[in-house]
Amino acid sequence: MRLRKLLCILLAALLLGGCAAPEAAQPAPMAALPAPADPYAAPLGDAGLAHEALTAMYLPSADGQQLLAYYDTLPLTYSQHPAEAVVRALLAHPGNSRVRPLGGGVTLALTGSDPVEVSGGVCTVNLSASALQLSRQDLYTACMALTATLGELDDLRYVNVLVAGRPVAMDIAGYLPLGALTAQPGQELPVLWEQFSSRRTPAGENPTTAPITAVAALYFPLADGSGVVPEIRRLSFPGQHPQQLAIALIGALSAGAEETAGIAGMPDLSALMTAQPEITDLNSGGKRITLRFSADVRSWMTAAGADPACCFAALVMTLTTFIPSVEQVCILAGDAALTSLRSDLHGGLFFAGGLHTRQDYSGYLRAQSPVYHADGDRLSVHHASLPYRSGRSPRELLLSLARAEGDCAVLAEGLSDADILGLSVADDTLLINLSARYADAIRKSSADQRRMVYAIVNTMCSNLRVRRVRFYFGGETIDRLDSDVLWTGEFLYNPGVIRR
């Protein structure tokens, strides 16, 4: 009995010992995943902004009844608006069995140092004098083809067409303005021409008794004194004589801009005129408008908050973009011809005999590009006034961000053009290579680096139509610049940091 009990105790002890858990083994440490490989090289210079894009263009069909689309891959650059490259390609198309070349047997080309202007959703195209060889209907067809083609670009809604630097009359009498055009896809060209030409002054009638409603580009001075931008307006004119057109345009300018932000106040130019506009025919076939203002007209402009040079630029560009054949505007203040103007940004302008032309003010046209500035702990959108040819340049946009001051400043101080070592676009990613010196400036700065990153990223994505931004410093990627922001990898547009 005792033996059996002892055996049971020994067996139980053995069983309990076999169920005891062994000491847990420590897991081997996991190896950290390597950072994703950078598929790109840091850019040096801006050559990497060149790219190719499939672009829609419109030419008249072989029977001349409608506009037909065709597609071509064009060499473009992210640093400039594509409008000029697209227009040049359209004018150079030789036609085929489906479509006619633009102008038919007349070779059309661009002319002037600034043949394609883009600002405020308006594109102005300056064709060479060869366009005058076309019939009015064929010229209208060419204008509609240009408008349809440019309307395919996502930020353009209106097109002005000049010939040899001046607006053309769309009737034999020389009074019907073309105005700002909009694309009308799918419409029959003969029908469009019939509708348009029905507005001309009937044969044998006085143009002063032929009212017209037309779309015009009005140019307004910017409040910062940097230049002018256009705003489209549908206006009614009591007649088609150039004097009537000028009076109505000046009245519309005096009323000020309706939609465009950042515009300076305008004095009542109509009230400051001391006589009706005078129209003079020139030997060149063009026209001159003479405007007489009170002697203190510039003081009134300054009192309204506008730079006088920008005011006169707005006036001259408005008249010479819309009124047929006008190539000169003679401006008098009191009895003295206005022979010179000066602005802080553009310096001095001189006008022999007080004769002002559209070309004189070509440097005043600006683009208003969306940029993101500091707004408390968030960002808010502003519009940077840039030369219209640089409105999309990532280099100019970076420098514009660097110029923000006071509470709006968002970048670390000290960014200069020399610190932007290179820019390129790969796939849908903008690559920005900044100097190692500027990396040190960011480290030492008290600027909010997260806000800094997204001010750049949101600005670039809004203007260049890219989806991502990647940063390099001195040609290398850097994890952190003494903050919790990881500068490696790619940044997407971030609406969450924008103040609503």
Side-chain angles (χ1 to χ4, degrees):
M1 189 71 178
R2 288 180 178 177
L3 181 59
R4 183 178 295 175
K5 188 174 182 179
L6 180 59
L7 289 173
C8 289
I9 291 171
L10 290 173
L11 182 59
L14 289 171
L15 289 173
L16 288 172
C19 290
E23 183 177 351
Q26 297 297 318
M30 292 183 63
L33 291 174
D38 182 355
Y40 310 115
L44 288 175
D46 296 353
L49 294 174
H51 68 110
E52 294 184 337
L54 187 66
T55 305
M57 290 177 276
Y58 288 84
L59 285 172
S61 59
D63 61 6
Q65 293 298 301
Q66 58 188 324
L67 295 174
L68 297 180
Y70 72 96
Y71 294 83
D72 201 359
T73 300
L74 303 182
L76 305 173
T77 175
Y78 283 98
S79 62
Q80 290 183 359
H81 197 283
E84 183 172 336
V86 171
V87 169
R88 290 189 182 278
L90 180 69
L91 297 179
H93 194 285
N96 53 41
S97 60
R98 294 181 64 246
V99 294
R100 300 176 180 177
L102 211 58
V106 175
T107 300
L108 299 182
L110 296 173
T111 190
S113 57
D114 300 291
V116 179
E117 302 170 352
V118 175
S119 175
V122 180
C123 182
T124 300
V125 178
N126 190 9
L127 297 177
S128 67
S130 63
L132 297 175
Q133 301 173 37
L134 297 174
S135 69
R136 297 298 193 285
Q137 184 172 354
D138 287 343
L139 177 57
Y140 180 78
T141 294
C143 292
M144 293 307 295
L146 286 164
T147 302
T149 298
L150 291 166
E152 290 290 322
L153 304 179
D154 56 11
D155 61 340
L156 294 182
R157 295 181 57 208
Y158 297 93
V159 175
N160 295 310
V161 179
L162 310 177
V163 176
R166 63 194 189 207
V168 291
M170 299 305 292
D171 61 341
I172 295 176
Y175 294 112
L176 180 63
L178 180 62
L181 301 172
T182 55
Q184 301 189 50
Q187 297 292 315
E188 294 290 326
L189 290 171
V191 173
L192 289 175
W193 170 245
E194 184 177 350
Q195 293 172 346
F196 183 87
S197 61
S198 67
R199 302 185 299 163
R200 60 193 165 190
T201 302
E205 293 192 15
N206 191 324
T208 62
T209 63
I212 186 176
T213 297
V215 178
L218 304 179
Y219 292 81
F220 288 98
L222 289 164
D224 63 4
S226 62
V228 301
V229 293
E231 180 177 285
I232 291 296
R233 197 78 56 78
R234 190 172 190 83
L235 300 175
S236 294
F237 302 88
Q240 296 179 30
H241 191 277
Q243 184 185 72
Q244 294 171 301
L245 302 181
I247 291 171
L249 290 171
I250 292 170
L253 286 174
S254 299
E258 293 180 351
E259 299 177 355
T260 309
I263 299 299
M266 286 288 286
D268 188 344
L269 296 174
S270 299
L272 292 171
M273 285 198 300
T274 59
Q276 295 291 301
E278 301 169 12
I279 311 300
T280 305
D281 293 323
L282 304 175
N283 292 334
S284 64
K287 296 182 185 298
R288 175 193 304 148
I289 294 180
T290 299
L291 302 176
R292 299 178 183 273
F293 293 99
S294 63
D296 57 353
V297 60
R298 280 176 282 188
S299 298
W300 283 100
M301 291 174 173
T302 301
D307 182 304
C310 292
C311 267
F312 286 115
L315 176 62
V316 171
M317 292 187 72
T318 296
L319 299 179
T320 58
T321 301
F322 183 80
I323 303 177
S325 302
V326 170
E327 62 182 61
Q328 297 175 353
V329 181
C330 180
I331 301 176
L332 293 93
D335 295 327
L338 186 64
T339 57
S340 65
L341 287 169
R342 182 171 185 81
S343 73
D344 291 339
L345 179 65
H346 300 280
L349 287 176
F350 301 93
F351 313 97
L355 300 179
H356 301 236
T357 68
R358 198 177 193 282
Q359 183 62 32
D360 290 330
Y361 292 103
S362 61
Y364 278 70
L365 185 64
R366 310 293 281 184
Q368 288 188 294
S369 304
V371 296
Y372 288 83
H373 289 174
D375 186 357
D377 60 349
R378 305 179 79 77
L379 299 171
S380 60
V381 67
H382 294 249
H383 288 88
S385 172
L386 299 174
Y388 75 90
R389 284 189 171 274
S390 305
R392 286 192 174 188
S393 164
R395 183 175 290 271
E396 291 299 325
L397 291 167
L398 277 171
L399 294 174
S400 174
L401 288 173
R403 288 192 290 269
E405 298 178 342
D407 293 338
C408 289
V410 68
L411 301 190
E413 291 184 4
L415 179 69
S416 69
D417 188 65
D419 291 307
I420 307 172
L421 304 183
L423 297 153
S424 66
V425 174
D427 302 321
D428 58 0
T429 304
L430 174 66
L431 311 179
I432 300 177
N433 186 13
L434 302 174
S435 68
R437 186 205 70 81
Y438 193 64
D440 290 336
I442 295 174
R443 286 191 184 95
K444 297 172 184 176
S445 171
S446 60
D448 182 330
Q449 290 188 27
R450 180 173 181 272
R451 204 172 50 185
M452 186 187 310
V453 164
Y454 284 111
I456 297 173
V457 172
N458 287 5
T459 294
M460 297 304 170
C461 291
S462 297
N463 287 280
L464 274 69
R465 309 303 190 264
V466 294
R467 295 187 61 232
R468 315 167 202 274
V469 177
R470 183 183 284 268
F471 293 91
Y472 302 84
F473 295 92
E476 304 291 336
T477 56
I478 297 178
D479 271 352
R480 287 184 170 87
L481 297 174
D482 295 346
S483 80
D484 59 353
V485 173
L486 287 171
W487 287 81
T488 51
E490 297 171 347
F491 294 88
L492 297 169
Y493 179 87
N494 185 355
V497 299
I498 303 171
R499 189 174 298 284
R500 300 298 181 185

